């Protein structure tokens, strides 16, 4: 997946300028940036729910379009929980995975098997978010965009999510953004910073402070 | 059409049914009831779903269903259902 010279405006306000970014299978790209810097906007541009003012996104060297994205190329974990609420977990899973064999990875997860007879709305926000994460990562998509996956999560669930990301990195590319930056730093193979409307590579963790994202020590 | 689509159809059509029940109470005209379910109730249900559950469109997008596609399919199913019932009623009254 490659972004070439992406520019985006909200009204007259320039949010992203001249963004160039490539993500391949095996990449776990951590994107950092202050509130309002354009991290979520960037993920929505890649997912196709926002359109860039200029520039182009390529998927396997083909210009990205809605059909390509919907045709199992990109999964997008929204920062909010988007699961239907009034449905039992055991009935929700087959909506994404109609084949029984594809459901195994989900139902065999010990945390999911405990909640499978509960309705989604009766789960805690953290449990719902974990379920949402697990569903998306197990889809057959080439790339997974994770917007604030670790926010609200208990440490055990966060660790489980990080393990799942690491296990899946050999068949997918990930882009993660979250203010729980230590968790992102732990899994990221490449780090980027959005500042002054554009993306900068981060080579050392100390650069996060130098760039104004973290307080200076 | 997939089970995923019918999950959306069920969720959105419940608002249409509530609207149509309301119309049936105040109008009691079979034509108005069918018009409600086929057209006005459809539009009402999309509006309510968008207001209260719009975040769930991301669930369907990730499952490969675009917002426009599932809205159009829902509208067509309900419209054709209403239209068919209208034709049946018209035939019965004609005879």
């Amino acid at each position: 997946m490659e972004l070439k010279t992406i520019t985006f405006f909200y009204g007259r306000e320039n949010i992203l300028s001249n963004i160039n970014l490539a993500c391949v299978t095996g990449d776990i790209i951590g994107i950092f940036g202050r509130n309002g810097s354009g991290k979520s906007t960037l993920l929505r541009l890649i997912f196709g729910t926002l359109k860039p003012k200029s520039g182009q996104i390529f998927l396997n060297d083909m210009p990205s379009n809605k059909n390509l994205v919907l045709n199992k190329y990109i999964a997008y974990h929204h920062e909010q929980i988007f699961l239907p609420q009034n449905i039992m977990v055991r009935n929700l899973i087959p909506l994404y995975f109609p084949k029984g064999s594809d459901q195994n990875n989900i139902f065999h997860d010990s945390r999911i098997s405990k909640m499978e007879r509960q309705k989604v709305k009766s789960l805690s926000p953290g449990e719902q978010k974990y379920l949402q994460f697990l569903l998306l990562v197990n889809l057959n998509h080439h790339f997974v965009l994770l917007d604030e996956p670790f926010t609200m999560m208990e440490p055990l669930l966060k660790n489980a999510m990080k393990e799942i990301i690491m296990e899946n990195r050999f068949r997918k590319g990930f882009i993660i953004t979250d203010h729980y930056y230590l968790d992102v730093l732990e899994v990221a193979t490449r780090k980027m910073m959005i500042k002054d409307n554009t993306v900068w590579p981060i080579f050392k963790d100390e650069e996060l402070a130098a760039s104004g994202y973290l307080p200076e020590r | 059409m997939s089970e995923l689509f019918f999950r959306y159809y069920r969720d959105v059509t419940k608002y249409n049914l509530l609207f149509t029940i309301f119309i049936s109470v105040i109008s009691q005209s079979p034509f108005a009831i069918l018009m409600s379910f086929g057209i006005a109730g459809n539009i009402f249900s999309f509006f309510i779903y968008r207001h209260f559950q719009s975040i769930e469109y991301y669930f369907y997008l990730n499952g490969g269903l675009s917002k426009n596609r599932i809205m159009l399919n829902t509208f067509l199913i309900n419209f054709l259902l209403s239209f068919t019932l209208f034709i049946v009623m018209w035939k019965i009254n004609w005879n």
Side-chain angles (χ1 to χ4, degrees):
Chain A
M1 176 170 65
E2 192 170 10
L3 282 70
K4 287 186 177 170
T5 60
I6 294 291
T7 295
F8 182 78
F9 285 80
Y10 269 125
R12 288 182 182 179
E13 191 185 354
N14 184 204
I15 305 295
L16 297 169
S17 269
N18 207 25
I19 301 284
N20 293 294
L21 181 69
C23 179
V24 297
T25 304
D27 274 343
I28 304 175
I29 301 177
I31 297 187
F32 304 91
R34 298 183 66 176
N35 290 332
S37 59
K39 304 182 298 297
S40 297
T41 299
L42 180 64
L43 298 192
R44 285 176 204 174
L45 284 164
I46 298 170
F47 190 56
T49 48
L50 291 175
K51 284 188 178 168
K53 173 100 174 167
S54 63
Q56 183 86 58
I57 299 169
F58 293 88
L59 291 169
N60 285 357
D61 296 328
M62 290 179 286
S64 177
N65 60 48
K66 196 181 266 182
N67 288 337
L68 268 183
V69 171
L70 292 175
N71 199 15
K72 313 288 183 194
Y73 263 95
I74 300 175
Y76 173 54
H77 181 288
H78 196 281
E79 60 196 286
Q80 293 177 45
I81 291 153
F82 57 63
L83 302 175
Q85 296 291 301
N86 200 21
I87 183 171
M88 284 212 315
V89 172
R90 63 187 302 180
N91 296 330
L92 177 79
I93 294 165
L95 296 180
Y96 270 3
F97 306 97
K99 287 184 193 168
S101 55
D102 295 338
Q103 298 166 11
N104 290 344
N105 276 349
I106 318 281
F107 280 117
H108 287 176
D109 186 287
S110 59
R111 297 157 198 91
I112 299 297
S113 57
K114 282 178 196 160
M115 57 174 91
E116 67 172 282
R117 289 176 189 277
Q118 290 178 257
K119 283 198 169 181
V120 173
K121 65 182 175 188
S122 70
L123 305 177
S124 70
E127 287 173 322
Q128 289 188 36
K129 207 161 183 183
Y130 180 70
L131 174 61
Q132 180 170 293
F133 166 84
L134 205 58
L135 287 171
L136 293 186
V137 172
N138 278 286
L139 283 170
N140 211 13
H141 295 54
H142 298 213
F143 299 100
V144 184
L145 314 174
L146 299 172
D147 195 356
E148 299 192 13
F150 303 122
T151 305
M152 292 193 301
M153 304 304 289
E154 65 177 43
L156 284 176
L157 284 181
K158 272 200 287 193
N159 283 347
M161 290 164 80
K162 284 183 272 188
E163 279 174 23
I164 291 166
I165 290 169
M166 295 305 281
E167 282 167 16
N168 280 278
R169 62 181 281 210
F170 300 108
R171 59 189 190 97
K172 291 175 189 284
F174 288 87
I175 300 181
I176 310 175
T177 173
D178 202 310
H179 288 304
Y180 283 69
Y181 63 94
L182 292 175
D183 296 302
V184 180
L185 287 174
E186 200 179 319
V187 292
T189 56
R190 285 167 57 204
K191 296 141 199 169
M192 315 290 279
M193 175 87 188
I194 297 188
K195 194 183 174 191
D196 301 329
N197 306 337
T198 197
V199 172
W200 306 89
I202 296 282
F203 300 105
K204 291 179 183 172
D205 296 353
E206 299 78 49
E207 291 175 49
L208 291 175
S211 63
Y213 176 62
L214 296 179
E216 295 276 4
R217 290 190 180 178
Chain B
M1 273 178 277
S2 66
E3 207 177 325
L4 183 62
F5 165 72
F6 280 106
R7 179 71 220 178
Y8 171 79
Y9 178 77
R10 218 177 78 177
D11 270 2
V12 81
T13 302
K14 72 185 178 204
Y15 299 122
N16 187 350
L17 283 171
L18 286 174
F19 182 83
T20 303
I21 289 168
F22 174 72
I23 294 295
S24 70
V25 168
I26 58 170
S27 120
Q28 295 182 344
S29 150
F31 178 73
I33 293 167
L34 290 177
M35 281 289 285
S36 161
F37 187 73
I39 299 173
N42 257 334
I43 295 165
F44 174 80
S45 65
F46 294 140
F47 177 78
I48 296 293
Y49 189 87
R50 186 180 158 185
H51 191 74
F52 292 107
Q53 292 169 254
S54 66
I55 190 73
E56 290 180 19
Y57 280 116
Y58 280 100
F59 179 72
Y60 299 99
L61 281 168
N62 278 298
L65 299 177
S66 76
K67 183 178 168 181
N68 288 347
R69 183 176 154 193
I70 55 179
M71 284 175 73
L72 181 67
N73 286 351
T74 300
F75 188 92
L76 286 176
I77 288 174
N78 291 341
F79 179 79
L80 290 175
L81 203 62
S82 302
F83 186 72
T84 308
L85 280 172
F86 175 76
I87 296 292
V88 169
M89 283 170 56
W90 183 70
K91 285 269 185 194
I92 290 169
N93 285 340
W94 185 262
N95 294 330

